[in-house]
Structure formats: structure tokens, C-alpha cells
Amino acid sequence: MRELVIDTWRSIVAHRVRFGLTSLGIAWGAFMLTFLSSNLEGFSRHFVAEFEELGPRIVFMGPGSILKDRVGDRGARVVELEAEDADRAEQLVSVEEASPEIGRWALPVRQGRRSKLLRVSGLDAGSDIIRNFEMERGRYLSPLDVARGARVAVLGAEASERLFGRRDPIGGTILVDGLRYRVIGTLVAKGEQLMNSNDRDDLKVVIPYTTAQRWIARNDEVQQLILAPVTKEASWEAIRRVREIVALREGYDPSIETAMWAFNIQEPLQMIEGMFLGIRIFMLGAGLVTLFVGAIGVMNIMLVVVGERVQEIGVRKAVGATSREIFVQFLAEATAVSAVSGVTGAAAGIALVQGISLLLPEGTAYQSPPVLDPITTGAFTVALIGVGIVAGVVPAIRAAQTLPAEALRSF
């Protein structure tokens, strides 16, 4: 084994230019595949996380209108939602949580001398699960707050900063549209949001929907329902069943889709998954081409090396070397070149990915640092090394089959 390693090293040094060119091709392939796969993984995770910030399984449903045949908009009947529809939706096996939502844009919110125009959302207890809200301090709305129509508020991270600065807002009071509310909690910052970018959760003031009905809307209006299905797959069933519930109460055919609009977060997520699946298929094709080119490069270089070393092969066979030893020698050279090149290229790709990850800041909606996928990187590297080794089999066989008499004739 020691002699094999020494002979392999000497052969590579003696033909370093040719082996170097072959190594460069394999290393470049491993480098690019590592870097591109890491960027793809980073983009995929980032955009899925951005969409799920709105709510990982959220469904929005709102009232539409029922059109009469041959009458058009003039005869349309507007569908009305009521808060009890959310309670009925929660009884469905496909729905985990449901909440009415009553929102108002740009309401004046004041604290001391500070006055800001913020989005106020009236929601039910348990809506934090639907909307992916996490508490930073204090607590979220309770069923008792909703039942009493309490004037309490939960502030988004940026809303809290704009109103209270660095002071602790818990227990403090704010004026919403002229009425006093007690702050009971603040939410963890979500930062920039790809979805809902014009209605960021960090700028929200959340109050009980019953309070919003009484003091803001001043009626029993419910603008929309928000749902959290038990699973992502159950979201379509949940939409269908909620439409049936409202249709039964309102007295219309549930198959009329214009009666209620619905937005399922799974729709854009499926589009993203489809897009990235296409890119992954493209990358797989590019990887196969890289493997093919690498195999051709290794085979051609090794065949050239075998042709140049015919005399050496003849001498070694004349002094007792077997065909098996010659085969192993040339296969070891192909293996060494492929392994060193593949590992070097993958290491360079990993280093670049880690460097970009450290330099590229996170927390924005439109940029994503690359994420190293060890399984994909390892698979590409092992495949390149394996193809290089396989490509070295044919030249090794040719070298092993060289006849000593014919080799010595070339002196």
C-alpha cells in the first residue's frame, strides 16, 4: 500500500499539468454545485418562512355577493358575516381555530404627546395561533377580554416603540380614536414581511373584536373570518365547509363562489414549491452534465497518460509486475485526482457559502443568505468522485492489457 501511494504521488507530480487540468474541471463542478444548491436552499427556506409569517396555515374568508340570473349587479344580494360563524367554523373537524376580524386603517393612536396613525385589528382570543403572533411581554387577548368587550390592547413591536419608545408599555394606557385602552402585551417583531407588506404586523394594535364592534365599527359588522385548519392539506376542506355553513344560514347555494371569497396561504406556497421544483430539476440536469464532462475529462487524460507511459508499463511487466498491479496503479491515480479535486471544490464552495452567510444580514423580506445542505453537497461530491473513479477504469484496463513485447519495441 505504501509503495502504491508513493508511485501514485510520483505519477501525478510527473504529469501535473494534465492532472491539474482534469482536477480543475472536477473541482469547479463541485464548487458550483455546492454554491448553487446552497443558494437554492436558502431562497426556498426564506420565501416559505416569509409567507408563513402571516400564518403557517392561515385562510382568509370574506363576504361577497349573490348575483341573480339575467339581472347582473343590480339584483345582487350582499352576503353578511356574523361573529357566530367563527364559532361554528371551530366546530368543524378540519378547523383548529377561527376568529372574526374587524380592521380599521390609520386610526389615530395616542400615548402622552405621541400620536400615530396605526392599523387597529379586532380579533378573538386564540387568533395568535392563526396569525403566528408570539408574545414578547405580557399576555395575549383572553376569552374573558372578548366576552366583556374590554378596552385592552396588544401592540406590535414597532407600534410599541413608536408610542412608548424604550419604556415598558405593559400596564400603560393609549388612546385609540379618543378612547382609553390598557396595554396588556407586546408582540415579537416580525420585521419586513413579503406578504402583507402594506399591513405589517409590527405596526398593529390588536383589541378584542367585540370592543371593535362597539367602539370602532359601532355595529355587528364582521369584515372577514380567519381560520387555522388542522393541517395544510385540510385547508381546502375547511374553505368548502365554511362556505356551506354561511350558505345554510343565508339561504343560498354553497356552490356560488362569488358569495364568499377565500385566500388560502397554501396557494402561493404551492406556486413557490412548484417554481423551486423546476429549478431543482434544472440543477439536477446541470449536475448530470457536469458529471458527464468530468468523466470524459478524466478518461481522456488517463488515456493520454497511458499512451505516454507504454514504455514504463513494458519495463514494469518485464521485471515481474502483474496486470492486476498495473490496473490498480492507474485506477489509484484516477481515484486520487477525482477525490482531491471533488473535496477541494466542495470545500471552496462551503467556505464561500459560510462567508456570504456571515456577511449578508438577515431580517429583510427580499434577501436570503445561502443555507448549506450537507446531504446535497455530500451527494454531489461523492457522485463526482465516483464518476471520476469509474471513468478511470477503461484507461486502467488498457494499461493492464499492454503486452510487454509491444511496449519494449517502442524504445
Side-chain angles (χ1 to χ4, degrees):
M1 178 61 70
R2 181 173 177 273
E3 292 180 358
L4 178 62
V5 173
I6 294 174
D7 290 341
T8 300
W9 170 252
R10 287 175 178 172
S11 177
I12 291 175
V13 171
H15 302 84
R16 54 186 174 273
V17 176
R18 288 192 174 92
F19 282 128
L21 292 174
T22 304
S23 300
L24 183 62
I26 297 175
W28 178 254
F31 170 80
M32 287 304 299
L33 289 173
T34 299
F35 180 70
L36 291 176
S37 64
S38 299
N39 274 280
L40 178 61
E41 185 68 21
F43 276 119
S44 177
R45 293 188 185 183
H46 175 76
F47 282 107
V48 169
E50 283 293 325
F51 275 85
E52 290 187 344
E53 274 190 350
L54 190 63
R57 290 169 286 141
I58 194 168
V59 173
F60 294 90
M61 299 189 71
S65 58
I66 304 168
L67 303 179
K68 294 183 179 179
D69 292 339
R70 297 182 297 276
V71 176
D73 292 342
R74 291 176 301 167
R77 176 163 70 91
V78 177
V79 174
E80 295 182 357
L81 295 180
E82 58 185 31
E84 289 74 14
D85 290 330
D87 297 330
R88 299 181 186 109
E90 285 187 345
Q91 303 305 312
L92 300 172
V93 295
S94 55
V95 176
E96 179 183 354
E97 290 285 346
S99 169
E101 182 169 12
I102 299 157
R104 287 293 184 270
W105 292 90
L107 276 180
V109 181
R110 185 174 179 181
Q111 202 289 316
R113 295 183 179 181
R114 300 186 180 189
S115 183
K116 306 295 178 182
L117 293 177
L118 299 175
R119 164 79 166 181
V120 177
S121 291
L123 296 170
D124 199 355
S127 57
D128 54 333
I129 297 174
I130 308 172
R131 288 302 320 275
N132 196 28
F133 290 150
E134 294 183 25
M135 299 307 300
E136 182 180 37
R137 284 174 289 186
R139 65 175 179 84
Y140 196 67
L141 304 177
S142 70
L144 188 59
D145 294 330
V146 176
R148 290 180 173 179
R151 291 210 296 266
V152 294
V154 178
L155 302 180
E158 194 170 339
S160 173
E161 183 180 353
R162 291 189 180 187
L163 293 171
F164 288 89
R166 296 184 178 180
R167 291 180 293 131
D168 186 0
I170 306 301
T173 58
I174 58 175
L175 296 178
V176 179
D177 204 22
L179 291 177
R180 191 178 302 274
Y181 288 73
R182 180 170 56 89
V183 178
I184 60 173
T186 59
L187 303 174
V188 173
K190 292 185 178 181
E192 296 289 336
Q193 291 180 263
L194 185 62
M195 288 288 293
N196 226 29
S197 58
N198 293 325
D199 183 20
R200 292 192 296 124
D201 292 336
D202 289 349
L203 286 171
K204 269 185 171 34
V205 176
V206 180
I207 63 175
Y209 79 88
T210 49
T211 308
Q213 285 179 323
R214 180 177 182 183
W215 299 109
I216 295 178
R218 301 186 188 279
N219 55 40
D220 293 334
E221 171 191 5
V222 171
Q223 292 177 338
Q224 62 183 17
L225 302 177
I226 55 174
L227 317 172
V230 290
T231 63
K232 295 179 179 180
E233 294 74 18
S235 57
W236 309 106
E237 172 69 11
I239 292 173
R240 185 179 67 83
R241 295 301 301 274
V242 170
R243 280 178 168 156
E244 290 177 352
I245 288 173
V246 177
L248 181 62
R249 178 177 57 78
E250 289 279 298
Y252 66 85
D253 187 346
S255 63
I256 303 176
E257 294 189 357
T258 58
M260 285 193 73
W261 59 265
F263 172 74
N264 187 351
I265 194 66
Q266 300 311 313
E267 292 182 22
L269 284 175
Q270 287 179 357
M271 292 176 60
I272 289 177
E273 290 173 0
M275 179 182 68
F276 281 108
L277 176 61
I279 297 175
R280 286 190 174 93
I281 293 173
F282 173 79
M283 278 195 59
L284 178 61
L288 293 175
V289 171
T290 301
L291 295 177
F292 181 71
V293 172
I296 291 177
V298 171
M299 185 179 295
N300 286 342
I301 292 298
M302 291 302 298
L303 287 173
V304 171
V305 170
V306 169
E308 290 181 346
R309 296 167 64 184
V310 170
Q311 296 175 350
E312 174 193 335
I313 296 170
V315 171
R316 291 186 62 182
K317 281 198 168 184
V319 297
T322 64
S323 296
R324 179 178 179 277
E325 291 173 341
I326 298 298
F327 174 83
V328 171
Q329 174 65 48
F330 279 87
L331 186 61
E333 294 173 12
T335 301
V337 171
S338 301
V340 171
S341 304
V343 171
T344 301
I350 291 171
L352 180 60
V353 167
Q354 297 294 348
I356 294 176
S357 299
L358 293 174
L359 295 174
L360 190 62
E362 296 188 46
T364 63
Y366 304 101
Q367 68 179 15
S368 58
V371 176
L372 186 65
D373 185 356
I375 296 177
T376 303
T377 300
F380 277 136
T381 304
V382 170
L384 280 168
I385 294 173
V387 166
I389 294 172
V390 172
V393 171
V394 173
I397 293 174
R398 178 171 294 184
Q401 292 176 344
T402 301
L403 299 177
E406 293 181 3
L408 294 174
R409 229 185 257 131
S410 61
F411 275 96

